[in-house]
Amino acid sequence: GDATFVAPATPFGNSGMAVVRINGPLALTILSKMSRGIKPKPRTATLTKIYNQDGKLIDECIVTFFKSPASYTGDDLIEVSCHGNPVLVNNIIQTVCTNGARLAEPGEFTKKAFINGKIDLLQAEAVGALIKSRSDAAAKINSQTLNGTLSHSLNNLNNELINVASKIEHAIDIAESEIQNSFYKNCNSEIQTIIHSTEQILLTFEAGKMLNDGIRVVITGKPNVGKSTLINYFSGSEKAIVSDIPGTTRDIVESTMNIGGVPVRFIDTAGIRRKAKVKEDIEFYSVMRSVRTIENS
């Protein structure tokens, strides 16, 4: 029973519909109890009434059964689509748990897919990244990773390295005469190609990180030159306090905008001036924080 778990697949709140997923060996048995004996065909949407443990109607739902191993997790998996009311969703989840399931841990459906070999670790990480993507560009990159593009590239590099290592080991074990100079040149050429391919993949990391986290753009300068005014102009809102008094900005103020499909984080900092050297002065700490922010952008 502990192997069967349940969780909402859609966010909490009111909506047209919501989805609850049940995964594990008891999934079909639990659905049968809650629907008074329905036996859905695999991968076929089936309309059915769902009842609680007291036999009272919860909602009329669409259920879809994904039979093991042809499911997202590799186990028997059932998706229950009900009306998007948190009360209904909670009632369905409570009834599923009463009938022998447990609540899923965060990310457990994807973890199960990884354990069952449906996806690799890179793809599992890409699921979370895709959900959190804040721009079209980031979503596109994370989708490619989820589809196995990066995994395929890394597997190719791995196979090429094994191939070179095998050639070298074979030459050492088998060659009776001295190994030809051309052999060294060929091996070196292949290794250089692998190094170049590895460097190309590594170059994509920084770009991918910026697309996911946002490009950090720090607005800095002397006090009272209009840094806060500029960030307010960019964001179109009164994010930062604007005044004629130098050193008004004490805290780091951020404003995130989507520019050309890329999230850009404009960061307003305390004005930097030479006088702010007294450690007891709150402005000293504001300036030090600004310096750290500039270094990290």
Side-chain angles (χ1 to χ4, degrees):
D2 196 47
T4 303
F5 50 85
V6 60
T10 44
F12 184 83
N14 294 83
S15 58
M17 61 167 284
V19 176
V20 173
R21 293 198 293 187
I22 312 164
N23 185 85
L26 290 180
L28 210 52
T29 304
I30 291 170
L31 177 66
S32 182
K33 286 180 184 176
M34 292 174 65
S35 62
R36 296 182 178 173
I38 192 170
K39 293 178 181 176
K41 293 178 183 176
R43 295 179 174 271
T44 303
T46 308
L47 181 67
T48 182
K49 288 182 171 64
I50 296 291
Y51 302 87
N52 67 12
Q53 59 269 28
D54 298 324
K56 292 180 181 176
L57 178 68
I58 299 175
D59 194 14
E60 190 167 44
C61 306
I62 296 284
V63 298
T64 312
F65 171 44
F66 298 92
K67 186 174 176 59
S68 174
S71 73
Y72 174 67
T73 58
D75 298 333
D76 280 356
L77 174 66
I78 288 167
E79 291 187 351
V80 180
S81 298
C82 62
H83 291 97
N85 182 322
V87 175
L88 300 178
V89 173
N90 286 338
N91 282 345
I92 290 171
I93 290 171
Q94 284 174 4
T95 307
V96 171
C97 289
T98 303
N99 283 310
R102 61 170 173 82
L103 287 173
E105 296 169 8
E108 191 165 6
F109 284 87
T110 300
K111 178 184 175 184
K112 198 69 174 162
F114 168 67
I115 289 168
N116 286 339
K118 302 294 288 187
I119 55 175
D120 61 31
L121 194 56
L122 280 174
Q123 289 171 303
E125 289 174 349
V127 173
L130 180 59
I131 292 166
K132 293 173 186 172
S133 295
R134 293 188 289 173
S135 69
D136 292 343
K140 186 177 179 181
I141 283 178
N142 292 320
S143 292
Q144 287 175 343
T145 306
L146 183 55
N147 287 334
T149 305
L150 181 56
S151 299
H152 180 69
S153 298
L154 294 178
N155 284 333
N156 281 347
L157 285 177
N158 188 47
N159 291 334
E160 286 169 16
L161 283 167
I162 291 169
N163 188 34
V164 173
S166 300
K167 282 183 187 177
I168 294 168
E169 286 176 20
H170 181 266
I172 292 169
D173 291 342
I174 302 301
E176 293 179 5
S177 57
E178 190 176 324
I179 298 169
Q180 295 296 313
N181 204 37
S182 58
F183 175 80
Y184 293 117
K185 285 183 178 177
N186 287 336
C187 285
N188 184 51
S189 175
E190 287 178 27
I191 290 166
Q192 289 304 319
T193 302
I194 293 167
I195 290 170
H196 177 71
S197 299
T198 305
E199 287 171 346
Q200 291 298 110
I201 291 172
L202 287 172
L203 284 173
T204 66
F205 170 76
E206 200 62 40
K209 191 173 187 297
M210 284 194 293
L211 288 173
N212 274 319
D213 299 344
I215 296 172
R216 292 166 61 88
V217 178
V218 171
I219 299 173
T220 186
K222 292 179 181 178
N224 212 32
V225 294
K227 296 184 296 299
S228 296
T229 304
L230 184 62
I231 202 167
N232 286 344
Y233 176 78
F234 281 148
S235 65
S237 64
E238 292 295 316
K239 276 235 174 207
I241 298 166
V242 178
S243 84
D244 294 330
I245 305 162
T248 310
T249 303
R250 299 289 188 207
D251 297 314
I252 304 297
V253 179
E254 286 196 18
S255 183
T256 302
M257 279 154 271
N258 195 308
I259 300 174
V262 178
V264 178
R265 295 162 63 192
F266 286 103
I267 302 160
D268 187 14
T269 58
I272 297 173
R273 56 178 169 176
R274 296 184 187 278
K275 289 180 183 177
K277 290 179 180 175
V278 185
K279 292 203 175 183
E280 289 74 21
D281 184 357
I282 190 171
E283 193 178 345
F284 174 83
Y285 293 104
S286 298
V287 170
M288 287 303 98
R289 194 185 300 150
S290 296
V291 171
R292 285 197 301 271
T293 305
I294 292 163
E295 287 171 352
N296 292 329
S297 70

